[in-house]
Amino acid sequence: MLTLRLLILVISLVAFAPAAFAALQELPGTESLTGNDDMAAHMVDGIHAYLDRQLAASQVGRAAQWHRELTSSARYVNSVKPNREHFHRMIGLTDVRETVTLRLDASVREGDGTPGLAGSGSGYRVYRVRWNVFRGVEGEGLMLVPSQPARADIVALPDCDVSPEMLVGLAPGIPRESQYARRLAENGCRVLVPALIDRGAAYSGIAGAATTNQPHREFLYRAAYEMGRHIVGYEVQKSLAAVDWFLGEGKSQANLLRPVGLIGYGEGGLVALYAAAADPRIAATVVSGYFGPRERMPQEPIYRNVFGLLREFGDAEIASLIAPRRLVVEASRGPEVAGPPQN
């Protein structure tokens, strides 16, 4: 009986629908959709306009997310602690790092045959090293060790398309005066140069099956995003694992405990800024080729996108998480990236 009643109802609706629609009046403040324009294009334009308004509004409302206490350094650091915790979650800095072991690459034996030795310079030697971060993630790069006791320990982060070998001067590509890792080592610092995920596309996909020209950073960003992680968070974790090793190694030799600093350029500048904001143990940070208004984010690479970031953090707010520690921002042109690599 219930099925019959439903059938009668459907027949009635179909029979009277034309009359019902004919009698339908326009709602106040609306009008019928007419014309032959590309409605999809109009929709996209509307979405862009909405997002532009939201970007502008995020800057206006950002101050309400902060409750800074300025009466002392200690109180200031404690007052921004909730913001630092929010920042950790936003960039996916949630995995607990392992106790770090830094290992020499024994397959490399330059010069006198010392395991891991990749080269040498004026007053320092260069070693190829790897270190664990957390399950499934490792860091690799070059360690520059001065011949005399080091004055400081530095994590030097190149732009992601610059190899550690370039930044050290073992490979061409970077002018000598811009090889800041080498210059720091020549001035008595112990320097670790991590390799960052680059903007190439050779490994984006499955070889022989399906590949894409998405840059490696975007390819990993998209996969990590689904799991509440981020390519930036992974790079920060690699850098902080290096800091863990510096400080852990120093504590085992109390009289050799040295300050730890970060320096980075381009994408490395972003990672240096974020890592210093995330970890109060870092004494000093230099950021070059990266710092500015994030409200231009639609013009930046998608792998810099962090969900919800601008409601609480622009670069100035991230920098405020570093205070009262030292931060130097060098106003220099960042890397120019034309777009994704060609297939």
Side-chain angles (χ1 to χ4, degrees), residues 3 13 21 27-28 38 51 54 56 76 84 101 106 111 114 121 186 192 214 230 242 245 255 294 300 308 317 337:
T3 302
L13 288 174
F21 285 126
L27 295 173
D38 186 341
L51 293 177
Q54 292 300 305
Y76 176 85
R84 196 188 315 279
T101 301
T114 301
E186 288 176 347
L192 180 60
Q214 287 178 9
H230 201 288
W245 184 82
N255 61 325
R294 294 274 71 79
E300 297 187 47
E317 286 76 18
V337 182

PDB file of all heavy atoms in Angstrom, residues 3 13 21 27-28 38 51 54 56 76 84 101 106 111 114 121 186 192 214 230 242 245 255 294 300 308 317 337:
ATOM      1  N   THR A   3       3.869   1.633  -1.264  1.00  0.00           N
ATOM      2  CA  THR A   3       4.461   1.821  -2.588  1.00  0.00           C
ATOM      3  C   THR A   3       3.469   2.490  -3.531  1.00  0.00           C
ATOM      4  O   THR A   3       3.830   3.376  -4.313  1.00  0.00           O
ATOM      5  CB  THR A   3       4.909   0.460  -3.164  1.00  0.00           C
ATOM      6  OG1 THR A   3       5.827  -0.144  -2.273  1.00  0.00           O
ATOM      7  CG2 THR A   3       5.552   0.640  -4.517  1.00  0.00           C
ATOM      8  N   LEU A  13       3.059  14.999  -8.876  1.00  0.00           N
ATOM      9  CA  LEU A  13       4.086  16.026  -8.993  1.00  0.00           C
ATOM     10  C   LEU A  13       4.479  16.265 -10.442  1.00  0.00           C
ATOM     11  O   LEU A  13       4.637  17.405 -10.886  1.00  0.00           O
ATOM     12  CB  LEU A  13       5.322  15.624  -8.177  1.00  0.00           C
ATOM     13  CG  LEU A  13       5.169  15.697  -6.659  1.00  0.00           C
ATOM     14  CD1 LEU A  13       6.412  15.121  -5.982  1.00  0.00           C
ATOM     15  CD2 LEU A  13       4.944  17.128  -6.197  1.00  0.00           C
ATOM     16  N   PHE A  21       5.920  25.535 -11.922  1.00  0.00           N
ATOM     17  CA  PHE A  21       7.078  26.316 -12.326  1.00  0.00           C
ATOM     18  C   PHE A  21       6.660  27.609 -13.013  1.00  0.00           C
ATOM     19  O   PHE A  21       7.304  28.639 -12.872  1.00  0.00           O
ATOM     20  CB  PHE A  21       7.975  25.494 -13.271  1.00  0.00           C
ATOM     21  CG  PHE A  21       8.770  24.439 -12.555  1.00  0.00           C
ATOM     22  CD1 PHE A  21       8.717  23.118 -12.963  1.00  0.00           C
ATOM     23  CD2 PHE A  21       9.560  24.761 -11.468  1.00  0.00           C
ATOM     24  CE1 PHE A  21       9.446  22.147 -12.303  1.00  0.00           C
ATOM     25  CE2 PHE A  21      10.292  23.792 -10.802  1.00  0.00           C
ATOM     26  CZ  PHE A  21      10.234  22.482 -11.226  1.00  0.00           C
ATOM     27  N   LEU A  27      12.721  35.557  -6.515  1.00  0.00           N
ATOM     28  CA  LEU A  27      12.937  35.989  -5.147  1.00  0.00           C
ATOM     29  C   LEU A  27      13.373  37.440  -5.126  1.00  0.00           C
ATOM     30  O   LEU A  27      14.006  37.932  -6.076  1.00  0.00           O
ATOM     31  CB  LEU A  27      13.999  35.118  -4.481  1.00  0.00           C
ATOM     32  CG  LEU A  27      13.664  33.638  -4.272  1.00  0.00           C
ATOM     33  CD1 LEU A  27      14.891  32.896  -3.761  1.00  0.00           C
ATOM     34  CD2 LEU A  27      12.507  33.488  -3.305  1.00  0.00           C
ATOM     35  N   PRO A  28      13.051  38.175  -4.059  1.00  0.00           N
ATOM     36  CA  PRO A  28      13.459  39.581  -3.964  1.00  0.00           C
ATOM     37  C   PRO A  28      14.982  39.716  -4.081  1.00  0.00           C
ATOM     38  O   PRO A  28      15.739  38.957  -3.487  1.00  0.00           O
ATOM     39  CB  PRO A  28      12.969  39.979  -2.560  1.00  0.00           C
ATOM     40  CG  PRO A  28      11.864  39.027  -2.252  1.00  0.00           C
ATOM     41  CD  PRO A  28      12.229  37.745  -2.905  1.00  0.00           C
ATOM     42  N   ASP A  38      30.290  32.781 -20.697  1.00  0.00           N
ATOM     43  CA  ASP A  38      30.877  31.573 -20.122  1.00  0.00           C
ATOM     44  C   ASP A  38      30.672  31.615 -18.605  1.00  0.00           C
ATOM     45  O   ASP A  38      31.386  32.308 -17.885  1.00  0.00           O
ATOM     46  CB  ASP A  38      32.366  31.502 -20.458  1.00  0.00           C
ATOM     47  CG  ASP A  38      33.013  30.201 -20.009  1.00  0.00           C
ATOM     48  OD1 ASP A  38      32.435  29.525 -19.134  1.00  0.00           O
ATOM     49  OD2 ASP A  38      34.101  29.868 -20.517  1.00  0.00           O
ATOM     50  N   LEU A  51      38.521  35.071  -2.701  1.00  0.00           N
ATOM     51  CA  LEU A  51      39.784  34.735  -2.045  1.00  0.00           C
ATOM     52  C   LEU A  51      40.644  35.979  -1.825  1.00  0.00           C
ATOM     53  O   LEU A  51      41.332  36.091  -0.800  1.00  0.00           O
ATOM     54  CB  LEU A  51      40.539  33.697  -2.869  1.00  0.00           C
ATOM     55  CG  LEU A  51      39.887  32.309  -2.941  1.00  0.00           C
ATOM     56  CD1 LEU A  51      40.688  31.389  -3.855  1.00  0.00           C
ATOM     57  CD2 LEU A  51      39.768  31.697  -1.544  1.00  0.00           C
ATOM     58  N   GLN A  54      39.372  37.562   1.215  1.00  0.00           N
ATOM     59  CA  GLN A  54      39.753  36.807   2.407  1.00  0.00           C
ATOM     60  C   GLN A  54      41.226  37.021   2.759  1.00  0.00           C
ATOM     61  O   GLN A  54      41.586  37.098   3.938  1.00  0.00           O
ATOM     62  CB  GLN A  54      39.478  35.313   2.199  1.00  0.00           C
ATOM     63  CG  GLN A  54      38.001  34.963   2.116  1.00  0.00           C
ATOM     64  CD  GLN A  54      37.260  35.344   3.387  1.00  0.00           C
ATOM     65  OE1 GLN A  54      37.625  34.939   4.488  1.00  0.00           O
ATOM     66  NE2 GLN A  54      36.205  36.133   3.238  1.00  0.00           N
ATOM     67  N   ALA A  56      42.952  39.754   2.181  1.00  0.00           N
ATOM     68  CA  ALA A  56      43.034  41.080   2.798  1.00  0.00           C
ATOM     69  C   ALA A  56      42.495  41.053   4.224  1.00  0.00           C
ATOM     70  O   ALA A  56      43.068  41.658   5.138  1.00  0.00           O
ATOM     71  CB  ALA A  56      42.268  42.091   1.951  1.00  0.00           C
ATOM     72  N   TYR A  76      57.639  37.205  27.434  1.00  0.00           N
ATOM     73  CA  TYR A  76      57.304  37.259  26.005  1.00  0.00           C
ATOM     74  C   TYR A  76      57.330  35.866  25.390  1.00  0.00           C
ATOM     75  O   TYR A  76      56.384  35.458  24.701  1.00  0.00           O
ATOM     76  CB  TYR A  76      58.279  38.176  25.265  1.00  0.00           C
ATOM     77  CG  TYR A  76      58.028  38.198  23.771  1.00  0.00           C
ATOM     78  CD1 TYR A  76      57.080  39.048  23.217  1.00  0.00           C
ATOM     79  CD2 TYR A  76      58.716  37.334  22.915  1.00  0.00           C
ATOM     80  CE1 TYR A  76      56.823  39.052  21.855  1.00  0.00           C
ATOM     81  CE2 TYR A  76      58.466  37.333  21.558  1.00  0.00           C
ATOM     82  CZ  TYR A  76      57.515  38.192  21.034  1.00  0.00           C
ATOM     83  OH  TYR A  76      57.262  38.177  19.688  1.00  0.00           O
ATOM     84  N   ARG A  84      53.262  29.346  18.846  1.00  0.00           N
ATOM     85  CA  ARG A  84      54.296  28.433  18.348  1.00  0.00           C
ATOM     86  C   ARG A  84      53.731  27.026  18.187  1.00  0.00           C
ATOM     87  O   ARG A  84      54.025  26.330  17.205  1.00  0.00           O
ATOM     88  CB  ARG A  84      55.496  28.413  19.304  1.00  0.00           C
ATOM     89  CG  ARG A  84      56.760  27.802  18.685  1.00  0.00           C
ATOM     90  CD  ARG A  84      57.875  27.604  19.702  1.00  0.00           C
ATOM     91  NE  ARG A  84      58.071  28.740  20.568  1.00  0.00           N
ATOM     92  CZ  ARG A  84      58.770  29.826  20.236  1.00  0.00           C
ATOM     93  NH1 ARG A  84      59.310  29.919  19.035  1.00  0.00           N
ATOM     94  NH2 ARG A  84      58.917  30.827  21.103  1.00  0.00           N
ATOM     95  N   THR A 101      71.859  10.058  14.957  1.00  0.00           N
ATOM     96  CA  THR A 101      73.210   9.555  14.724  1.00  0.00           C
ATOM     97  C   THR A 101      73.675  10.077  13.375  1.00  0.00           C
ATOM     98  O   THR A 101      73.022   9.828  12.351  1.00  0.00           O
ATOM     99  CB  THR A 101      73.244   8.020  14.718  1.00  0.00           C
ATOM    100  OG1 THR A 101      72.771   7.538  15.980  1.00  0.00           O
ATOM    101  CG2 THR A 101      74.654   7.511  14.459  1.00  0.00           C
ATOM    102  N   ALA A 106      80.849   6.096   3.965  1.00  0.00           N
ATOM    103  CA  ALA A 106      82.127   5.384   3.815  1.00  0.00           C
ATOM    104  C   ALA A 106      82.465   5.078   2.363  1.00  0.00           C
ATOM    105  O   ALA A 106      83.607   4.725   2.057  1.00  0.00           O
ATOM    106  CB  ALA A 106      82.094   4.087   4.621  1.00  0.00           C
ATOM    107  N   GLY A 111      91.147  12.279  -1.378  1.00  0.00           N
ATOM    108  CA  GLY A 111      92.403  12.686  -0.748  1.00  0.00           C
ATOM    109  C   GLY A 111      93.167  11.526  -0.152  1.00  0.00           C
ATOM    110  O   GLY A 111      93.638  10.633  -0.866  1.00  0.00           O
ATOM    111  N   THR A 114      90.400   8.935   3.708  1.00  0.00           N
ATOM    112  CA  THR A 114      89.571   8.984   4.909  1.00  0.00           C
ATOM    113  C   THR A 114      88.113   8.720   4.550  1.00  0.00           C
ATOM    114  O   THR A 114      87.585   9.344   3.625  1.00  0.00           O
ATOM    115  CB  THR A 114      89.689  10.361   5.591  1.00  0.00           C
ATOM    116  OG1 THR A 114      91.055  10.599   5.926  1.00  0.00           O
ATOM    117  CG2 THR A 114      88.827  10.422   6.844  1.00  0.00           C
ATOM    118  N   GLY A 121      89.366  22.475   2.164  1.00  0.00           N
ATOM    119  CA  GLY A 121      89.570  23.868   1.824  1.00  0.00           C
ATOM    120  C   GLY A 121      90.553  24.493   2.792  1.00  0.00           C
ATOM    121  O   GLY A 121      91.262  23.788   3.524  1.00  0.00           O
ATOM    122  N   GLU A 186      85.640  28.742   6.600  1.00  0.00           N
ATOM    123  CA  GLU A 186      86.941  29.425   6.590  1.00  0.00           C
ATOM    124  C   GLU A 186      87.112  30.360   7.778  1.00  0.00           C
ATOM    125  O   GLU A 186      88.240  30.676   8.174  1.00  0.00           O
ATOM    126  CB  GLU A 186      87.095  30.207   5.281  1.00  0.00           C
ATOM    127  CG  GLU A 186      87.308  29.316   4.068  1.00  0.00           C
ATOM    128  CD  GLU A 186      87.354  30.087   2.772  1.00  0.00           C
ATOM    129  OE1 GLU A 186      86.972  31.285   2.768  1.00  0.00           O
ATOM    130  OE2 GLU A 186      87.763  29.512   1.746  1.00  0.00           O
ATOM    131  N   LEU A 192      76.962  22.352   8.626  1.00  0.00           N
ATOM    132  CA  LEU A 192      76.266  21.231   8.015  1.00  0.00           C
ATOM    133  C   LEU A 192      75.347  21.784   6.932  1.00  0.00           C
ATOM    134  O   LEU A 192      74.537  22.681   7.189  1.00  0.00           O
ATOM    135  CB  LEU A 192      75.447  20.468   9.056  1.00  0.00           C
ATOM    136  CG  LEU A 192      74.653  19.264   8.555  1.00  0.00           C
ATOM    137  CD1 LEU A 192      75.573  18.215   7.943  1.00  0.00           C
ATOM    138  CD2 LEU A 192      73.848  18.646   9.689  1.00  0.00           C
ATOM    139  N   GLN A 214      55.055  17.731 -12.387  1.00  0.00           N
ATOM    140  CA  GLN A 214      55.000  18.403 -11.091  1.00  0.00           C
ATOM    141  C   GLN A 214      56.391  18.425 -10.476  1.00  0.00           C
ATOM    142  O   GLN A 214      57.059  17.394 -10.410  1.00  0.00           O
ATOM    143  CB  GLN A 214      54.059  17.674 -10.136  1.00  0.00           C
ATOM    144  CG  GLN A 214      52.587  17.813 -10.438  1.00  0.00           C
ATOM    145  CD  GLN A 214      51.748  17.010  -9.449  1.00  0.00           C
ATOM    146  OE1 GLN A 214      52.256  16.491  -8.462  1.00  0.00           O
ATOM    147  NE2 GLN A 214      50.461  16.899  -9.742  1.00  0.00           N
ATOM    148  N   HIS A 230      53.662  18.230   5.670  1.00  0.00           N
ATOM    149  CA  HIS A 230      53.969  19.266   4.685  1.00  0.00           C
ATOM    150  C   HIS A 230      55.431  19.148   4.281  1.00  0.00           C
ATOM    151  O   HIS A 230      56.283  18.805   5.117  1.00  0.00           O
ATOM    152  CB  HIS A 230      53.689  20.650   5.281  1.00  0.00           C
ATOM    153  CG  HIS A 230      53.483  21.732   4.266  1.00  0.00           C
ATOM    154  ND1 HIS A 230      54.501  22.243   3.511  1.00  0.00           N
ATOM    155  CD2 HIS A 230      52.351  22.396   3.887  1.00  0.00           C
ATOM    156  CE1 HIS A 230      54.030  23.183   2.706  1.00  0.00           C
ATOM    157  NE2 HIS A 230      52.714  23.289   2.914  1.00  0.00           N
ATOM    158  N   ALA A 242      69.464  18.014  12.675  1.00  0.00           N
ATOM    159  CA  ALA A 242      70.874  18.423  12.663  1.00  0.00           C
ATOM    160  C   ALA A 242      71.203  19.244  13.909  1.00  0.00           C
ATOM    161  O   ALA A 242      72.265  19.077  14.522  1.00  0.00           O
ATOM    162  CB  ALA A 242      71.179  19.225  11.400  1.00  0.00           C
ATOM    163  N   TRP A 245      71.636  16.998  16.808  1.00  0.00           N
ATOM    164  CA  TRP A 245      72.953  16.350  16.828  1.00  0.00           C
ATOM    165  C   TRP A 245      74.021  17.319  17.322  1.00  0.00           C
ATOM    166  O   TRP A 245      74.858  16.958  18.164  1.00  0.00           O
ATOM    167  CB  TRP A 245      73.326  15.835  15.443  1.00  0.00           C
ATOM    168  CG  TRP A 245      74.629  15.084  15.478  1.00  0.00           C
ATOM    169  CD1 TRP A 245      74.825  13.779  15.835  1.00  0.00           C
ATOM    170  CD2 TRP A 245      75.931  15.628  15.193  1.00  0.00           C
ATOM    171  NE1 TRP A 245      76.174  13.483  15.778  1.00  0.00           N
ATOM    172  CE2 TRP A 245      76.873  14.587  15.388  1.00  0.00           C
ATOM    173  CE3 TRP A 245      76.386  16.875  14.782  1.00  0.00           C
ATOM    174  CZ2 TRP A 245      78.235  14.764  15.192  1.00  0.00           C
ATOM    175  CZ3 TRP A 245      77.744  17.069  14.594  1.00  0.00           C
ATOM    176  CH2 TRP A 245      78.655  16.015  14.800  1.00  0.00           C
ATOM    177  N   ASN A 255      82.546  21.446  27.786  1.00  0.00           N
ATOM    178  CA  ASN A 255      83.372  22.622  27.551  1.00  0.00           C
ATOM    179  C   ASN A 255      83.369  23.056  26.093  1.00  0.00           C
ATOM    180  O   ASN A 255      83.897  24.109  25.754  1.00  0.00           O
ATOM    181  CB  ASN A 255      84.819  22.357  28.002  1.00  0.00           C
ATOM    182  CG  ASN A 255      85.446  21.204  27.231  1.00  0.00           C
ATOM    183  OD1 ASN A 255      84.771  20.247  26.890  1.00  0.00           O
ATOM    184  ND2 ASN A 255      86.758  21.297  26.992  1.00  0.00           N
ATOM    185  N   ARG A 294      52.948  37.777   2.658  1.00  0.00           N
ATOM    186  CA  ARG A 294      52.437  36.503   2.169  1.00  0.00           C
ATOM    187  C   ARG A 294      51.070  36.657   1.497  1.00  0.00           C
ATOM    188  O   ARG A 294      50.521  35.696   0.993  1.00  0.00           O
ATOM    189  CB  ARG A 294      52.324  35.503   3.325  1.00  0.00           C
ATOM    190  CG  ARG A 294      53.641  35.101   3.925  1.00  0.00           C
ATOM    191  CD  ARG A 294      54.306  33.938   3.193  1.00  0.00           C
ATOM    192  NE  ARG A 294      54.840  34.240   1.891  1.00  0.00           N
ATOM    193  CZ  ARG A 294      55.993  34.847   1.676  1.00  0.00           C
ATOM    194  NH1 ARG A 294      56.729  35.259   2.651  1.00  0.00           N
ATOM    195  NH2 ARG A 294      56.408  35.045   0.447  1.00  0.00           N
ATOM    196  N   GLU A 300      52.678  32.525  -5.580  1.00  0.00           N
ATOM    197  CA  GLU A 300      53.795  31.696  -5.141  1.00  0.00           C
ATOM    198  C   GLU A 300      53.548  30.233  -5.493  1.00  0.00           C
ATOM    199  O   GLU A 300      52.415  29.840  -5.788  1.00  0.00           O
ATOM    200  CB  GLU A 300      53.986  31.849  -3.628  1.00  0.00           C
ATOM    201  CG  GLU A 300      54.356  33.263  -3.203  1.00  0.00           C
ATOM    202  CD  GLU A 300      54.707  33.336  -1.736  1.00  0.00           C
ATOM    203  OE1 GLU A 300      55.486  32.476  -1.278  1.00  0.00           O
ATOM    204  OE2 GLU A 300      54.210  34.245  -1.059  1.00  0.00           O
ATOM    205  N   GLY A 308      45.391  27.565   6.544  1.00  0.00           N
ATOM    206  CA  GLY A 308      45.076  28.388   7.705  1.00  0.00           C
ATOM    207  C   GLY A 308      46.194  29.287   8.186  1.00  0.00           C
ATOM    208  O   GLY A 308      46.013  30.033   9.152  1.00  0.00           O
ATOM    209  N   GLU A 317      54.938  37.874  11.660  1.00  0.00           N
ATOM    210  CA  GLU A 317      54.507  37.142  12.856  1.00  0.00           C
ATOM    211  C   GLU A 317      55.382  35.920  13.105  1.00  0.00           C
ATOM    212  O   GLU A 317      55.685  35.582  14.260  1.00  0.00           O
ATOM    213  CB  GLU A 317      53.045  36.731  12.720  1.00  0.00           C
ATOM    214  CG  GLU A 317      52.045  37.855  12.889  1.00  0.00           C
ATOM    215  CD  GLU A 317      51.968  38.759  11.674  1.00  0.00           C
ATOM    216  OE1 GLU A 317      52.417  38.350  10.575  1.00  0.00           O
ATOM    217  OE2 GLU A 317      51.455  39.886  11.804  1.00  0.00           O
ATOM    218  N   VAL A 337      61.911  31.467 -10.644  1.00  0.00           N
ATOM    219  CA  VAL A 337      61.445  30.163 -11.131  1.00  0.00           C
ATOM    220  C   VAL A 337      60.386  30.420 -12.181  1.00  0.00           C
ATOM    221  O   VAL A 337      59.339  31.007 -11.895  1.00  0.00           O
ATOM    222  CB  VAL A 337      60.881  29.307  -9.974  1.00  0.00           C
ATOM    223  CG1 VAL A 337      60.453  27.938 -10.488  1.00  0.00           C
ATOM    224  CG2 VAL A 337      61.920  29.156  -8.859  1.00  0.00           C
TER     225      VAL A 337
END
